[in-house]
Amino acid sequence: MNPILAVGSVAFDSIKTPFGEASRVVGGAATYFAIAASFFTEVRIVAVVGEDFGANIDKVFGGRTIDITGLETVPGETFRWKGEYGFDLNSRETIYTHLNVFEQFKPKIPESHRSSPFVFLGNIHPTLQLDVIEQVEKPRLVGADTMNYWIEGTPDELKKVLKRVDVLLINDSEARQLAGEANLVKAARTVQAMGPKTLVIKRGEHGVLMTRNGGGFFAAPAMPLEEVFDPTGAGDTFAGGFLGYLASCDTVDDAALARAIIYGSTLASFAVEDFSVDRLLCLTKDEISVRFNEFKTLTHFDVT
Amino acid sequence: MNPILAVGSVAFDSIKTPFGEASRVVGGAATYFAIAASFFTEVRIVAVVGEDFGANIDKVFGGRTIDITGLETVPGETFRWKGEYGFDLNSRETIYTHLNVFEQFKPKIPESHRSSPFVFLGNIHPTLQLDVIEQVEKPRLVGADTMNYWIEGTPDELKKVLKRVDVLLINDSEARQLAGEANLVKAARTVQAMGPKTLVIKRGEHGVLMTRNGGGFFAAPAMPLEEVFDPTGAGDTFAGGFLGYLASCDTVDDAALARAIIYGSTLASFAVEDFSVDRLLCLTKDEISVRFNEFKTLTHFDVT
């Protein structure tokens, strides 16, 4: 089992969906990632919160294989984000983003974490992502997320990061934008040529598409769910389940990558069942195992 | 092997995509359906063309297990449609629809076809679909397509049809509209309660979702393709591959339904590789078999 170093945001979210509202609940990419990955391996979180985060640290990260040595608490307020979802949950409007203490965030990797074999770079400024890579010693696998904001605004910095990344996890519009190519197969090859041999394209309710080293793709649908309550954090939870499972494997081969996609999809399918990280906090390993097998029933067919 | 009676349109299409243009090429739902299904079983086509269709009848349907006894040629022009696709092929604008001889189409099922064990009702007026059902003798399986135009305009007639349909093949927005429900899982259950125990929801580049009698779903991604040339007829080709394969099976159980989804997806993935039915006309059974197996590589994972 390989520990994962995870760098990213820990936040307070306010969310409105067609099914309800939640105000100032725990969110942030690193939060979702760490909880999801902690079902499979040890997670070393590097992030910053304000003094207002208080007892949430223990509530969210306590009692799990999550090392919070790298989680700084500094004077000021925690990163806050407010978003509102449309009728079918596919459209989302950001009402506000207050960076607060996150504005000055400079990831400092604790000495004891520098030899982490797995690293996940959450969606932060590419220069900070590069800074993290410089601080760690030859990790076995580096995963990363990014977004349209960095693809447009800091393409040169991003390209330097991509050269050091093994697995890039982005959505389909980001893949198309990064490659400057509408066809997703061609876009995937272009992105692979930039560095990450494994590209995981997240498509929300339409599932996931992954390139593999051999050139072939692996695809998985999302689990059809009767109640999707709040999609916030689904992609970060996916990344946590995906990399968490990979880190628990002896070797990262095509078969392990395929199972990792299903574990990521499994964790994400739970995350959306309730606001914030509420569903993940009460999730059990048995439930994960049952839903993983439901994915097999959902997708498998016999050749004859 | 069970013959399939297929009722629907045979047309001339004019198509513009970002990759080129084709003018007055063979199209029509029944055309795509029949060619695709003929790789698996005998197809009995019931449709109408104008005298201008001429030698296309032999070019398209000849040399295949397609019975054209029910294909009428009448004075006048063949159904014509012109459409233009947007940059990413996901949006389509209809430039014109000239029903021509199709306007007076009243399907007359030849005596020899009335005992067909499989029936496919293409996307035509629900009253005509019902008329076809009345003319056939206890088919083992009735499949049908419909569209938003009939869901909105003739809901009562459509509901009478649905009571007689075993497999309904529609896209996701049609499923949501028919059920009056945004959540696709709930929408599927509502549609099942209207009659069709098997609902096949076509999602274009995002694949297919199918309900099964036991209540569980089966889902398949679309094959990631480097060249998608013309998406016209992909859904009809899918339906032909799906029902054609089912008709070739001894029993229609969950395993056969899952394989049918993959055969439908396989045929559809070829249809989009060229304009009109061009790719389907030169397709071989070996190519189908190879791509079917590529779907296994694309989607399968081991539990441990």
Side-chain angles (χ1 to χ4, degrees), chain A residues 16-81:
Chain A
K16 193 173 174 184
T17 81
F19 313 110
E21 279 187 70
S23 186
R24 203 172 173 275
V25 292
V26 172
T31 313
Y32 284 101
F33 181 94
I35 300 171
S38 74
F39 285 98
F40 303 95
T41 194
E42 182 197 325
V43 186
R44 298 160 172 182
I45 193 168
V46 172
V48 65
V49 292
E51 284 164 338
D52 57 351
F53 204 71
N56 286 300
I57 291 178
D58 192 53
K59 182 187 151 202
V60 171
F61 302 116
R64 302 177 183 276
T65 56
I66 300 178
D67 186 326
I68 55 167
T69 310
L71 178 62
E72 283 182 279
T73 300
V74 300
E77 281 189 72
T78 300
F79 184 177
R80 292 198 59 173
W81 173 83

Side-chain angles (χ1 to χ4, degrees), chain A residues 87 172 176 182-183 185-186 189 203 205-206 209 212 217-219 221 224-228 258-259 262 292-293 295-304, chain B residues 87 172 176 182-183 185-186 189 203 205-206 209 212 217-219 221 224-228 258-259 262 292-293 295-304:
Chain A
F87 174 61
D172 43 2
R176 289 185 165 107
N183 180 280
V185 175
K186 289 180 185 168
R189 290 205 187 139
R203 312 172 101 177
E205 64 161 335
H206 299 303
L209 184 66
R212 293 193 275 201
F217 285 90
F218 179 76
L225 295 171
E226 197 161 347
E227 304 285 352
V228 178
R259 281 194 297 275
I262 304 301
F292 182 92
N293 284 309
F295 267 97
K296 194 163 171 77
T297 309
L298 176 69
T299 61
H300 276 234
F301 60 90
D302 298 319
V303 169
T304 44
Chain B
F87 175 62
D172 44 1
R176 289 185 165 108
N183 179 281
V185 176
K186 289 180 185 168
R189 291 205 186 139
R203 310 172 103 177
E205 64 161 334
H206 299 304
L209 184 66
R212 294 194 274 201
F217 285 88
F218 178 76
L225 295 171
E226 197 164 344
E227 302 286 351
V228 177
R259 279 194 298 274
I262 305 301
F292 183 92
N293 284 309
F295 268 99
K296 193 163 170 80
T297 309
L298 177 69
T299 61
H300 278 233
F301 59 91
D302 298 319
V303 168
T304 43

